[in-house]
């Protein structure tokens, strides 16, 4: 880093990447300010401010970008991941190589809508890579025959439960129970989602209009059956669980003491704690059921990609140590590459009791929404 806080040119920057994996948190956090960035998308993405190496004073696993093939050429990415979350990462990758660019600039939007656009565009699609927020949209494209088979060495970068031949997960999110530590302990909360809400003496909250919540109820339909899910939803309505517009609001209400516990993805809890270090909120998980479902964001090479090798090498970069640590530090998701831990006091993926199911089935939301409305859930 020079005296103005900028990184050197491309060749020197790659040398920095190769050597930085051995740095501890004190050295690199001080240099990069990796724990202080605002999540407002205003950074120009030209440095590693949000890409944290050496957290907790430890080396990270995986493969550095410096060890990956150079990117050369033009690439079109359709991204269902928001620009405010991943724009800095994509800009950093683009700036790393003199002869590589996104052309046109990444197209951001809703994952389902972008997947349908690729199908509709057919052979004329300009998309080379689809970067999705969930497995359902990736599975739909693969089922339509619109993804290319990935190389074995790429697929082997993550566990087999997080990929198929036609797409690969890049980061993950676990369903969880945020709870207020001033009111409850972990022992007060059931480890089965089906024991909620009747099995816990607490004011609960959820965000039933949120896609992640609807995917969780979809998982319940798949794992527990239609009748059991309907009964669970009816008990939720009868209990008068508080409704919020999104899951971050649920976690903020838990931390504020307006709720005792709730149903959310795990990373919203970490976002609250990131902004309020002493917030009385903690995370617990149910065991082996819909309440513990683990979904993934991921990427695929489109069948009509102009340069499939370039597209696949870009996906390798999303699975690099730097990118995996970015997902942990910036988005608070679970990295999927072995040796890169999540941020916060969270169990490893291996220690989570995740139900065994095809994640692509979580995209079947319409019957779920119909059931929720039928029993009186207010969105």
């Amino acid at each position: 880093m020079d005296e103005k806080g900028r990184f050197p040119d491309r060749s020197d920057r790659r040398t920095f990447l190769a050597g930085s994996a051995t740095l501890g948190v004190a050295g690199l956090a001080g240099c990069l300010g990796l724990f202080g960035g605002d999540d407002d998308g205003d950074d120009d993405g030209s440095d590693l401010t949000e890409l944290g190496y050496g957290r907790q004073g430890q080396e990270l696993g995986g493969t550095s970008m410096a060890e990956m093939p150079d990117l050369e050429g033009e690439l079109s990415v359709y991204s269902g991941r928001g620009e405010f979350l991943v724009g800095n990462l994509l800009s950093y990758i683009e700036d790393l190589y003199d002869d590589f660019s996104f052309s046109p600039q990444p197209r951001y939007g809703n994952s389902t809508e972008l997947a349908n656009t690729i199908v509709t565009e057919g052979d004329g699609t300009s998309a080379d890579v689809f970067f999705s927020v969930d497995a359902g949209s990736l599975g739909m494209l693969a089922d339509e025959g619109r993804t290319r088979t990935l190389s074995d060495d790429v697929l082997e970068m993550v566990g087999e439960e997080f990929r198929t031949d036609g797409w690969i997960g890049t980061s993950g999110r676990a369903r969880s129970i945020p709870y207020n530590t001033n009111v409850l302990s972990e022992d007060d909360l059931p480890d089965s989602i089906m024991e909620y809400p009747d099995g816990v003496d607490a004011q609960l909250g959820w965000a039933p209009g949120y896609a992640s919540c609807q995917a969780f109820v979809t998982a319940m339909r798949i794992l527990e059956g239609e009748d059991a899910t309907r009964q669970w939803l009816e008990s939720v309505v009868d209990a008068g669980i508080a409704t919020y517009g999104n899951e971050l609001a649920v976690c903020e209400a838990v931390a504020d003491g307006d709720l005792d516990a709730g149903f959310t993805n795990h990373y919203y809890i970490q976002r609250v704690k990131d902004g309020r270090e002493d917030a009385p909120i903690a995370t617990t998980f149910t065991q082996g059921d819909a309440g513990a479902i683990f979904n993934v964001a991921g990427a695929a090479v489109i069948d009509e990609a102009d340069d499939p090798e370039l597209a696949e090498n870009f996906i390798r970069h999303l699975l690099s140590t730097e990118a995996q640590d970015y997902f942990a530090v910036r988005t608070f998701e679970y990295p999927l590459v072995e040796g890169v831990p999540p941020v916060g006091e969270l169990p490893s993926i291996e220690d989570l009791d995740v139900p065994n199911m095809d994640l692509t089935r979580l995209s079947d939301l319409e019957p779920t929404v119909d059931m929720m409305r039928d029993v009186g859930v207010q969105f």
Side-chain angles (χ1 to χ4, degrees):
M1 184 180 292
D2 67 18
E3 61 185 5
K4 295 183 180 181
R6 297 175 302 197
F7 278 91
D9 63 23
R10 170 178 172 270
S11 59
D12 289 339
R13 203 181 305 138
R14 286 176 66 79
T15 301
F16 172 86
L17 282 171
S20 62
T22 61
L23 291 178
V25 65
L28 198 62
C31 178
L32 302 181
L34 67 95
F35 295 117
D38 293 328
D39 194 19
D40 57 9
D42 291 335
D43 297 327
D44 64 7
S46 61
D47 60 37
L48 290 173
T49 300
E50 298 296 340
L51 306 179
Y53 256 117
R55 288 173 294 130
Q56 303 166 7
Q58 67 192 57
E59 295 184 15
L60 300 179
T63 304
S64 170
M65 290 183 191
E67 302 174 57
M68 293 183 171
D70 287 3
L71 302 182
E72 183 175 349
E74 296 182 345
L75 192 71
S76 174
V77 175
Y78 284 24
S79 178
R81 306 232 57 190
E83 183 175 7
F84 79 101
L85 286 178
V86 302
N88 288 346
L89 174 62
L90 299 192
S91 293
Y92 175 74
I93 293 173
E94 183 176 36
D95 290 345
L96 191 59
Y97 301 99
D98 292 337
D99 299 322
F100 170 70
S101 65
F102 295 113
S103 182
Q105 284 299 297
R107 178 174 178 176
Y108 294 97
N110 175 276
S111 284
T112 301
E113 293 174 359
L114 288 175
N116 285 328
T117 296
I118 293 171
V119 172
T120 301
E121 289 174 342
D123 295 347
T125 185
S126 62
D128 298 314
V129 171
F130 177 48
F131 189 14
S132 175
V133 74
D134 60 25
S137 298
L138 290 162
M140 185 273 281
L141 271 186
D143 289 344
E144 292 286 336
R146 299 307 312 274
T147 63
R148 298 179 66 94
T149 299
L150 295 170
S151 300
D152 287 344
D153 61 325
V154 174
L155 293 173
E156 290 169 359
M157 296 178 78
V158 306
E160 60 182 10
E161 66 270 36
F162 304 130
R163 52 164 166 95
T164 68
D165 289 346
W167 60 265
I168 191 165
T170 52
S171 59
R173 65 187 73 90
R175 291 304 291 178
S176 65
I177 308 292
Y179 65 95
N180 186 293
T181 56
N182 289 336
V183 180
L184 298 169
S185 70
E186 190 169 17
D187 292 339
D188 294 324
L189 297 166
D191 60 10
S192 168
I193 196 65
M194 304 309 289
E195 293 184 32
Y196 289 85
D198 298 334
V200 57
D201 182 16
Q203 175 60 50
L204 303 174
W206 69 336
Y210 216 48
S212 293
C213 184
Q214 293 170 7
F216 143 62
V217 179
T218 300
M220 187 180 293
R221 287 179 42 238
I222 295 168
L223 295 169
E224 304 291 342
E226 302 283 331
D227 291 343
T229 302
R230 179 178 292 273
Q231 291 173 12
W232 188 86
L233 289 170
E234 289 173 345
S235 69
V236 166
V237 172
D238 291 342
I241 289 179
T243 296
Y244 291 80
N246 60 70
E247 293 188 345
L248 178 59
V250 174
C251 289
E252 289 173 335
V254 171
D256 290 339
D258 297 329
L259 296 174
D260 299 329
F263 306 123
T264 71
N265 280 340
H266 83 276
Y267 52 83
Y268 293 112
I269 304 165
Q270 299 304 315
R271 289 183 188 179
V272 170
K273 291 173 72 69
D274 183 61
R276 301 162 56 184
E277 184 176 348
D278 297 326
I281 186 172
T283 311
T284 190
F285 302 88
T286 60
Q287 304 295 313
D289 58 21
I293 198 70
F294 191 97
N295 202 349
V296 298
V301 177
I302 303 305
D303 60 330
E304 296 296 328
D306 289 337
D307 187 341
E309 183 177 3
L310 172 62
E312 186 170 273
N313 283 336
F314 167 72
I315 291 176
R316 292 178 197 270
H317 281 63
L318 296 180
L319 296 168
S320 67
T321 304
E322 297 92 330
Q324 291 293 291
D325 206 31
Y326 176 96
F327 294 134
V329 171
R330 174 83 170 190
T331 71
F332 301 103
E333 295 171 295
Y334 270 91
L336 298 186
V337 169
E338 185 176 357
V340 185
V343 165
E345 297 177 357
L346 296 171
S348 67
I349 293 177
E350 293 76 18
D351 289 334
L352 293 172
D353 188 355
V354 177
N356 183 20
M357 65 170 291
D358 178 1
L359 293 177
T360 62
R361 298 181 65 186
L362 296 179
S363 63
D364 186 24
L365 297 180
E366 186 174 353
T368 298
V369 173
D370 289 343
M371 180 185 292
M372 294 171 76
R373 286 176 173 155
D374 189 51
V375 303
V377 172
Q378 299 297 312
F379 288 65

